[in-house]
Amino acid sequence: MPSGGELMHQRQRPASPAESMTAPPPAAAIADTQRSFFRRGLTREIGFRAKQLTALRSMIVRHEDDVLQALNRDLGRPMAEGYATEIGIVLHEIDVALKNLASWAKPHRVRTPLILFPGSSWVYPEPYGSVLIIAPWNYPFQLAMSPLVGALAAGNCAVVKPSEMAPHTSCLIADMISSEFDRSYVAAIEGGAEETKALLEQRFDYIFFTGGAHVGKLIMAAAARHLTPVTLELGGKNPCIVDASADLDTAARRIAWGKFVNAGQTCIAPDFVVAQKAIKPALLARLSKAIGCFYGSEPKASPDFGRIVNAHHFGRLHALLGDGTIITGGEADAAQRYIAPTIIDGISWDDAIMQEEVFGPILPVLDFDELETALGALEVRPKPLALYFFSEDRERQEQVLRRLSSGGACINDTFAQLVNLR
């Protein structure tokens, strides 16, 4: 085993795609090896963590073009979009971690009850041990690497399970990690449900999962067998409320961008719009205009619009086009897995499109007379991952934030809460 200073420089021969998919390292062996390495104590040292984060950053920068090409092959991801939403975010998170590493890990004094006088009380941040990261397909690079940044910054070992539904990115991640890190410290295991099941049978010290609620329940159940703490970043039907006081030009552009980036396959994308009746026609017109500005009169030919990840999801989304009245879009091409940026009016709360997360480039629009009516309809629905409200009325902004619960919320913009790193 190399020393802490040598670990980040060790190289192994990158596995070929065939080797990566057919002969992954055994899950149990990796879990045992990482526990042994963690007990050596190297990962607790701030200098060690900083070196590994620096190595991770250098690795990503060297492979920028490879990552962008893999994302394009898996999702039709435009190059600029791929850098902004995947690579750029991860590099920024690494920079933030390196800047704050020492202060995050430093013990800090807290108040001591009088009954314990003259003693003192301290909180000592400590790593969990070995972390399992299960990444999704929609942002297959960023949502594998961002949790890895946090795990390494906190002094953990990590196993990354990329999504098999983005096979080119998965293979690249596995090759990059195996070339840069010893697997006793950071490992990547490719594969599908069987490989994930094998990993979940091991005792990890923390599990980070991004994906759908159904699989999230399975992850939670598996973790419960070992009492392993879990972070689940799941999706949901994220509402976007627009009231009569909103700046409609700005609202339309920001809603359209947030909805249709990555062809709508984003867990925090606006899932549906609830607009005040008085401004709904004007908002619909501006949304259609914004789509034209972003992707041209033929989005299918635009270099800036992606594709649906696979045939299964294309079929699911295509079936949702039957509800309501299509205002713009609606075109679909199964051969290219293409669904146009689509706005649908005439939707009710009972329609099929309102019963599940859309997770694609289809935006249903509902309406309301009074804000109280909209809030009443929304607060009985499952808590969303994101909430958006466009309004110039400060009292209404406060009312919405206090009344509706969500994983994160943003006023007069979309996605901004995601990149608000401190």
Side-chain angles (χ1 to χ4, degrees):
M1 179 64 64
S3 68
E6 297 170 333
L7 184 61
M8 71 173 181
H9 298 297
Q10 177 166 324
R11 295 291 188 270
Q12 299 173 352
R13 181 183 64 84
S16 69
E19 290 173 330
S20 297
M21 294 302 293
T22 61
I30 286 183
D32 290 342
T33 301
Q34 290 203 348
R35 276 194 293 274
S36 296
F37 181 76
F38 177 75
R39 285 195 291 268
R40 294 180 58 190
L42 289 175
T43 67
R44 294 177 180 271
E45 299 172 5
I46 300 302
F48 177 87
R49 301 185 205 181
K51 288 179 180 178
Q52 307 313 313
L53 289 171
T54 301
L56 182 65
R57 193 185 200 287
S58 297
M59 177 191 79
I60 293 170
V61 171
R62 287 198 310 272
H63 289 279
E64 277 184 10
D65 290 342
D66 299 328
V67 172
L68 293 174
Q69 291 173 20
L71 293 169
N72 184 262
R73 294 177 72 183
D74 285 331
L75 291 153
R77 181 74 54 78
M79 296 297 179
E81 181 182 298
Y83 186 89
T85 62
E86 305 247 17
I87 296 174
I89 288 178
V90 177
L91 294 179
H92 180 54
E93 290 195 10
I94 293 174
D95 292 340
V96 170
L98 287 170
K99 179 181 178 180
N100 294 282
L101 197 56
S103 61
W104 288 345
K106 184 179 180 180
H108 58 276
R109 191 168 183 170
V110 295
R111 182 179 177 275
T112 301
L114 183 61
I115 194 173
L116 297 179
F117 180 84
S120 61
S121 303
W122 297 78
V123 172
Y124 277 68
E126 64 178 22
Y128 280 94
S130 182
V131 175
L132 173 61
I133 299 165
I134 303 176
W137 55 262
N138 60 324
Y139 289 89
F141 186 80
Q142 186 248 316
L143 291 175
M145 291 295 165
S146 288
L148 180 61
V149 173
L152 301 189
N156 299 287
C157 299
V159 174
V160 178
K161 168 58 182 67
S163 173
E164 72 280 8
M165 293 175 66
H168 299 95
T169 308
S170 176
C171 183
L172 178 61
I173 288 173
D175 286 350
M176 290 167 64
I177 287 177
S178 67
S179 297
E180 190 66 40
F181 300 101
D182 190 288
R183 74 181 194 182
S184 62
Y185 177 51
V186 183
I189 294 184
E190 287 193 274
E194 288 303 313
E195 287 75 14
T196 302
K197 180 180 177 182
L199 284 167
L200 290 172
E201 289 173 351
Q202 312 310 312
R203 181 178 62 81
F204 286 92
D205 300 293
Y206 203 96
I207 298 174
F208 191 103
F209 169 75
T210 306
H214 172 70
V215 178
K217 293 176 182 178
L218 301 178
I219 301 292
M220 183 73 83
R225 293 197 295 269
H226 302 293
L227 296 179
T228 303
V230 177
T231 291
L232 301 177
E233 199 230 332
L234 309 178
K237 291 194 71 65
N238 306 319
C240 179
I241 311 168
V242 185
D243 81 357
S245 72
D247 179 333
L248 296 185
D249 288 320
T250 300
R253 289 195 304 272
R254 293 178 179 178
I255 294 169
W257 184 85
K259 176 62 179 180
F260 299 114
V261 68
N262 196 26
Q265 298 166 116
T266 305
C267 58
I268 61 167
D271 190 88
F272 62 95
V273 168
V274 188
Q276 198 155 15
K277 282 184 178 179
I279 52 89
K280 181 182 174 183
L283 178 63
L284 291 173
R286 286 167 170 79
L287 284 169
S288 298
K289 180 181 178 182
I291 291 172
C293 289
F294 293 163
Y295 307 113
S297 58
E298 295 185 24
K300 187 177 182 180
S302 171
D304 300 317
F305 189 70
R307 296 297 186 263
I308 307 307
V309 66
N310 58 31
H312 169 73
H313 283 283
F314 174 88
R316 179 186 64 81
L317 290 165
H318 190 257
L320 296 178
L321 293 173
D323 290 335
T325 301
I326 293 177
I327 300 299
T328 190
E331 299 83 14
D333 182 341
Q336 290 196 27
R337 305 193 314 273
Y338 166 78
I339 292 181
T342 300
I343 308 292
I344 302 182
D345 192 14
I347 294 296
S348 75
W349 293 101
D350 297 323
D351 286 332
I353 199 170
M354 294 303 296
Q355 307 312 308
E356 61 177 281
E357 184 179 8
V358 175
F359 218 71
I362 306 171
L363 183 64
V365 181
L366 298 88
D367 55 41
F368 65 92
D369 288 311
E370 301 296 333
L371 182 60
E372 179 64 31
T373 305
L375 297 181
L378 291 170
E379 66 184 354
V380 298
R381 302 177 72 84
K383 181 192 293 189
L385 183 60
L387 165 67
Y388 302 108
F389 183 44
F390 286 83
S391 173
E392 297 299 314
D393 188 315
R394 291 294 184 90
E395 290 186 4
R396 286 190 164 198
Q397 293 173 7
E398 190 68 19
Q399 180 184 5
V400 168
L401 292 176
R402 290 185 177 277
R403 182 82 171 268
L404 300 180
S405 180
S406 62
C410 189
I411 302 294
N412 290 327
D413 205 347
T414 60
F415 279 40
Q417 76 278 16
L418 176 69
V419 296
N420 186 12
L421 297 176
R422 299 184 300 277

